[in-house]
Each structure stands twice: as structure tokens, then as C-alpha cells.
Amino acid sequence: MRSPRLLVPTAAAMLALFTATACGATADKEDTANAGNGKPATGLRLMVPNTAGGGYDTTARVAAKVMDDAKIATGVQVFNLPGAGGTVGLQRTVNEKGNGKLAMQMGLGVVGATYTSKSKATLTQTTPLAKLIEEAGAIVVPKDSPYKSIGDLVTAWKANPKGLAVGGGSSPGGPDHLLPMQLAQTVGIDPKDVNFVSYDGGGELLPALLGNKIAFGASGFGEFLDQVESGQVRVLAVTSEQPIEALKDVPTLKSSGIDLVFTNWRGIVAPPEISAEDKQVWVDALTRMHDSPEWKAELAKRGWTDAFVTGDAFATFLTDQDKAVADILTKLGLAA
């Protein structure tokens, strides 16, 4: 099944991770945020459910900075609560029922992790706020890799699929898992033979790549831009339909003769049962952020595709994604 610009594979086999929970207390109802009066919102906290340095972390910190620079919200606190593919953070979010000052950065990876990690908390329990962006994936190797092109890598991979480890910054069922599984299937490798190593976000994936613990990485290209610029890693191909402005010299899979397009997405949810007023504070702040020239500049700089929707539209999208991923993972034996 296809979500907007996201291809989901039809075969995969990986071990599931186990989830943990983290308790939280509901924040008090002091008037720390302002909605509809033109003043910057205050007192907002944005949780990143995996390690620093990954795609969720980058997105959350860019959003917080833009809101601060544009005087949309001041002092937005971004903090990390990693574990179990994002479901530790999800459990914390669900536990914070009624806390309208808290939100969680998330995306497709958390959708899949709720099933593969057998999480008690689900995204359907949260309050959807906004979908922000879509981002193409990238196939990345360390600077000293023997593979100079995606063709070189695929040739070696097909010759020894179990011998070439591929790493991703998400748990089984997440985008970094779905991408190499679908790439394998597209080039004629049985996904069951893929040696996939799961890392909790790009912050853990990058050191593994730089340390040659894996042959190549599959993740959102934005997670590697700094390392590409410094020459530490090389991007062999991106998974978008068209070339990425931020990586002008990197071919797409399609232009390299591999018929695959894959795009991830990221959004923000809040705890259950927040007030209508608190929800509106978040939606208003995120809408103003989206409309700001500062955010548009970040989209262009990072090669992110604008995919902004809020409220009910995002809730419908999230429900559809949840069902699609659940159906597929159930067929693959990765979800009950």
C-alpha cells in the first residue's frame, strides 16, 4: 500500500524490539501560553522520542528555533527520551493525559514501532497536531567504503546479502527498516536475507557507519548533511523522484536504473484529552511557523518537502497510516 510518496514493502523479516514505559505527571493549568492574542506562546515542551542527532531531533530543534526567531513561541524546551523505537516517549506522552504544554515529535517510525515493540501506548490515543514535512531517504557509506556508486553496492549486496550489514535509525517496521527491505526486493534480493541492524535514531546510526560496523546506512538524507559536507560519508543515491537540491551531484535510485521512490514523513502529537484551548495554541503556533519565511528557508536548506496539515486532516492521515502499517506488519508476522 502507498501512503503519500511512501512505498511500503511486501516482504520483510526482523526481530521485534521490546518496549518500556515512563511515567509522567500532568502539568498544572497555569496560563503559560497565549493563543489568538498575537503574543508569543510560552511554556511549551517538545519531546524527541529517540537520541540526539537524528531526524526527529533535527526537525524538533529547527522548529523550536524558528518559532523563537519569529517570536511565535519563546523558550520552547526540546528534550530527548529515547527507547524502543520511540515507544518509550510515546508511553510518556500518553501518560501525560491532559498536559497541553507537552508535545512529541514523531513520524512513520513510531507508527511501526508501536506494533513491532508491542507497545501498550498507541498513537491513536494521542492528540494529533500537525504533519510537518516529508523527506527522501538516502543510501550512505563511510568515506573509505569500496563502493563508489549505488551500482557497485547493489552488485556486492546481491552477491552476499547476509554478509553486508545495513543499518537504519529506526526499529523494524519503521522507515529506515522499510527502505532497505524494499530496495532489496526491487533489486532481486529476498528481504529475509537482509542483515539489518537497528539503531535508535540517527544519533546512534551515524557512529556505527563511521566506525565501519555496517557496510551502508539507509535513513533520511538530512541526517547526514553535515557529515557529507565534512567528507566523512558519501551518499550513493537518494530515494526521491527528483534530485535533491542539497545534494545536487547525488543521483536518485530511479536515475540509477532502480525503480524505487520512498519518502518518509514527520509530525507532532500531544497527550490525550488536552483542552481545546491548549490544542489551538499548538496548532496556531505550528501554523504560524509553517507560514514564516524562516521555516521556508529551512525547508529549502534541508531539502524537506512541505507536507503541512493540521487537526482533523492530520488525524485522518495518521489513522490511515496506522492501519496500513498494522495490516502489513501483521502479514509479515511482526505484529499480532
Side-chain angles (χ1 to χ4, degrees):
M1 179 170 182
R2 187 190 293 261
S3 66
R5 298 192 55 75
L6 169 66
L7 300 180
V8 180
T10 57
M14 295 301 304
L15 295 176
L17 300 177
F18 293 97
T19 190
T21 60
C23 296
T26 301
D28 59 37
K29 285 294 183 178
E30 65 184 56
D31 183 20
T32 58
N34 303 280
N37 57 11
K39 297 180 181 179
T42 58
L44 304 181
R45 305 177 73 219
L46 186 54
M47 180 200 303
V48 177
N50 50 28
T51 54
Y56 292 166
D57 187 70
T58 299
T59 306
R61 294 184 189 280
V62 168
K65 184 178 187 303
V66 167
M67 285 192 282
D68 189 70
D69 290 348
K71 296 181 172 50
I72 295 165
T74 59
V76 179
Q77 180 189 358
V78 179
F79 67 100
N80 300 79
L81 185 63
T87 57
V88 169
L90 176 61
Q91 184 68 62
R92 167 71 178 272
T93 302
V94 171
N95 288 350
E96 294 268 3
K97 181 172 65 174
N99 182 358
K101 309 309 177 199
L102 176 69
M104 183 181 79
Q105 181 72 61
M106 48 74 69
L108 179 63
V110 178
V111 178
T114 60
Y115 292 98
T116 58
S117 297
K118 297 179 174 59
S119 173
K120 293 181 179 178
T122 68
L123 285 164
T124 55
Q125 295 172 283
T126 67
T127 302
L129 296 175
K131 184 172 86 162
L132 300 179
I133 62 168
E134 293 176 350
E135 182 185 35
I139 305 301
V140 186
V141 295
K143 64 179 180 180
D144 56 353
S145 169
Y147 312 117
K148 304 304 181 184
S149 69
I150 188 65
D152 291 344
L153 175 62
V154 168
T155 298
W157 198 23
K158 291 175 72 173
N160 186 16
K162 293 182 179 179
L164 268 66
V166 51
S170 64
S171 61
D176 291 5
H177 170 248
L178 298 180
L179 170 53
M181 293 300 167
Q182 184 151 7
L183 177 59
Q185 182 171 274
T186 303
V187 300
I189 297 171
D190 186 341
K192 294 179 181 179
D193 291 335
V194 174
N195 180 6
F196 178 78
V197 184
S198 176
Y199 296 93
D200 196 0
E204 290 188 1
L205 172 61
L206 184 60
L209 184 68
L210 296 177
N212 292 301
K213 294 181 179 179
I214 52 178
F216 65 103
S219 192
F221 77 87
E223 303 194 21
F224 303 106
L225 284 178
D226 289 343
Q227 288 71 34
V228 171
E229 292 176 359
S230 67
Q232 293 177 287
V233 303
R234 291 184 286 111
V235 181
L236 300 184
V238 291
T239 66
S240 49
E241 185 81 40
Q242 300 295 329
I244 299 296
E245 181 67 22
L247 297 168
K248 294 180 180 179
D249 298 327
V250 176
T252 65
L253 289 175
K254 289 194 73 173
S255 70
S256 302
I258 300 171
D259 190 16
L260 175 63
V261 174
F262 185 101
T263 307
N264 188 18
W265 60 268
R266 297 185 191 129
I268 295 177
V269 298
E273 298 182 26
I274 66 172
S275 70
E277 293 79 10
D278 283 339
K279 178 180 178 181
Q280 198 60 46
V281 167
W282 277 105
V283 171
D284 286 348
L286 292 170
T287 300
R288 291 178 62 198
M289 178 200 76
H290 166 260
D291 294 341
S292 71
E294 292 89 345
W295 181 252
K296 289 178 172 55
E298 290 291 347
L299 292 177
K301 173 184 175 182
R302 299 176 187 278
W304 291 340
T305 300
D306 187 3
F308 190 74
V309 294
T310 64
D312 291 343
F314 181 42
T316 299
F317 172 83
L318 194 54
T319 298
D320 291 343
Q321 288 279 284
D322 187 80
K323 183 179 185 304
V325 171
D327 287 349
I328 291 167
L329 293 179
T330 298
K331 292 176 183 176
L332 299 174
L334 294 176

